[in-house]
Amino acid sequence: MYSDTDLERAVAAGAISPEAAGALRRFMAEQSPTPIVDEEQFRLLTGFNDIFVAIASVLLLVALAWIGDSVGPKLGNGGPSLSSGLFVAVAAWGLAEFFTLKRRMALPSILLLLAFTGGVFATAFCALASIVGDSAFQGHDERIAALVIAASAAIAAGATWAHWRRFRVPITIAAGAATAAGMVIGLIAFAVGDSAITRDVLLAATFALGIAVFLFAMWWDASDRERTTRRADVAFWLHLLAAPMIVHPVFQMLGVFDGRVSMGSAVIVVLLYVLLAVVALVIDRRALMVSSLAYVLFALSELFRALGAVGLNVALTALVIGSALLLLSAFWHSARALIVERLPYKLAMKVPPAHEIETVKVQTA
């Protein structure tokens, strides 16, 4: 199997002409029972070797983190070690030079990027925390702790950008967006301080940042409406990040995670998920629904528990949500066509085309 990324690289290397690559894409699209744009493809595995290399990489990185934690200086009394994150970050970048840059392996590239970003964040955190002292992390000065977290996230965001410039792994942009969001939240926590409104302010900030990430994902999506390039993969991971950032603050404010699920809050939860489903249909991104699915499952499970179905609450939740999702999946294209054809023209030109509509128009003509 050859991915669109492989075709792009072949065109860039001169092995195949852009016209031939376009003809191959059109041929493959005609052979598919559904248009490529509607399949929401993203590259995760190129073969079992991806899994093999991923397992080996995880074992190596865990071993390096363990060794670094044993030999390096620790933060405070029994805290994390600076060497642990540094070893992981350096090893992840080095492994990416071969498995990402040369072998173009999907799953190992994703794991190595996440390990690199996490390693850089951990290294920066330990280094900055050792400078400000342990008191900030023992409840004495939460504002300084928030500032250290923000600075560490900023350093991790910069390192993630460098990783993107070098390796161009699609998930990198989402990882960078997550670290940038962490930086902003840390700065807000530093500015607000330890007050009664801190929790609500941070939840509101997370919600706003989730909307910003969603709009950023839509910018990537709008630049590739047919989803034939790497830009569509970048948008996929951004949507996967945006959904929990939007949903979690709302559910937290409704008291879902505090065991205070009432009939009213459960209705709001369901309506919110229905709204997400409509948005997912419009932009043709199932990832938006999957990313927030765990929250809805938890909310409905708690509701069934409150109604007395303690033994069957999980089963009833899975039955309701599973049936609804399968029904939506079966009629996804026709439902999307009904919605997209009613959108304003300018908005419709920003989302993937609804091929059901186009087919009807061609047959009518």
Side-chain angles (χ1 to χ4, degrees):
M1 290 294 292
Y2 299 98
S3 67
D4 287 306
T5 302
D6 296 326
L7 286 178
E8 292 174 16
R9 294 177 63 236
V11 171
I16 185 174
S17 67
E19 293 77 15
L24 179 59
R25 287 192 180 100
R26 288 191 294 272
F27 173 77
M28 294 304 296
E30 291 171 359
Q31 302 305 307
S32 176
T34 57
I36 290 178
V37 66
D38 286 334
E39 292 178 352
E40 198 170 2
Q41 301 183 40
F42 76 102
R43 192 180 183 193
L44 183 61
L45 292 174
T46 56
F48 187 78
N49 195 34
D50 277 39
I51 300 176
F52 182 79
V53 173
I55 294 173
S57 298
V58 169
L59 290 175
L60 175 63
L61 294 173
V62 169
L64 288 174
W66 197 329
I67 294 172
D69 188 64
S70 301
V71 303
K74 295 183 180 295
L75 173 63
N77 186 16
S81 169
L82 185 147
S83 302
S84 182
L86 182 61
F87 286 2
V88 169
V90 172
W93 184 287
L95 291 172
E97 288 287 343
F98 180 75
F99 292 109
T100 299
L101 201 60
K102 297 186 181 301
R103 296 291 301 275
R104 313 298 298 182
M105 302 181 76
L107 180 59
S109 297
I110 294 172
L111 294 177
L112 291 174
L113 174 273
L114 296 176
F116 173 76
T117 302
V120 171
F121 177 84
T123 303
F125 178 83
C126 290
L128 294 174
S130 64
I131 295 174
V132 302
D134 299 336
S135 60
F137 300 93
Q138 296 175 355
H140 300 298
D141 197 339
E142 294 183 359
R143 296 181 71 234
I144 297 300
L147 188 60
V148 169
I149 293 174
S152 303
I155 294 172
T160 303
W161 172 248
H163 194 284
W164 166 256
R165 299 291 296 176
R166 176 66 174 169
F167 302 108
R168 301 280 176 172
V169 181
I171 196 177
T172 309
I173 300 298
T179 53
M183 178 192 67
V184 173
I185 292 174
L187 290 175
I188 293 175
F190 171 75
V192 175
D194 186 14
S195 64
I197 64 171
T198 300
R199 174 180 174 274
D200 293 338
V201 170
L202 293 180
L203 288 174
T206 302
F207 178 82
L209 289 169
I211 296 295
V213 172
F214 172 77
L215 295 177
F216 188 39
M218 289 304 302
W219 180 79
W220 283 89
D221 258 340
S223 64
D224 182 19
R225 294 179 62 228
E226 293 290 343
R227 295 180 181 168
T228 58
T229 68
R230 184 189 291 113
R231 301 179 71 86
D233 293 339
V234 172
F236 169 84
W237 292 109
L238 285 169
H239 282 299
L240 210 60
L241 171 66
M245 293 179 66
I246 294 172
V247 172
H248 180 82
V250 177
F251 284 13
Q252 188 71 56
M253 290 181 178
L254 291 172
V256 172
F257 304 115
D258 299 330
R260 296 183 286 109
V261 181
S262 63
M263 182 62 70
S265 60
V267 170
I268 295 176
V269 166
V270 173
L271 290 177
L272 178 61
Y273 197 66
V274 170
L275 177 61
L276 279 177
V278 173
V279 174
L281 281 167
V282 171
I283 66 176
D284 204 8
R285 283 293 186 189
R286 298 164 184 82
L288 195 66
M289 298 175 60
V290 173
S291 186
S292 57
L293 182 59
Y295 296 95
V296 179
L297 289 173
F298 181 82
L300 288 183
S301 177
E302 289 298 309
L303 176 62
F304 285 127
R305 183 192 299 273
L307 293 176
V310 178
L312 293 174
N313 60 318
V314 176
L316 291 174
T317 301
L319 177 65
V320 172
I321 296 297
S323 301
L325 292 180
L326 286 174
L327 185 64
L328 180 61
S329 177
F331 296 98
W332 182 273
H333 304 296
S334 56
R336 184 168 186 271
L338 289 174
I339 295 175
V340 173
E341 69 180 356
R342 290 167 173 77
L343 294 176
Y345 177 78
K346 290 185 177 180
L347 180 58
M349 290 299 100
K350 299 292 185 180
V351 301
H355 292 274
E356 291 267 337
I357 301 175
E358 295 177 2
T359 303
V360 172
K361 289 182 178 178
V362 171
Q363 292 176 348
T364 304

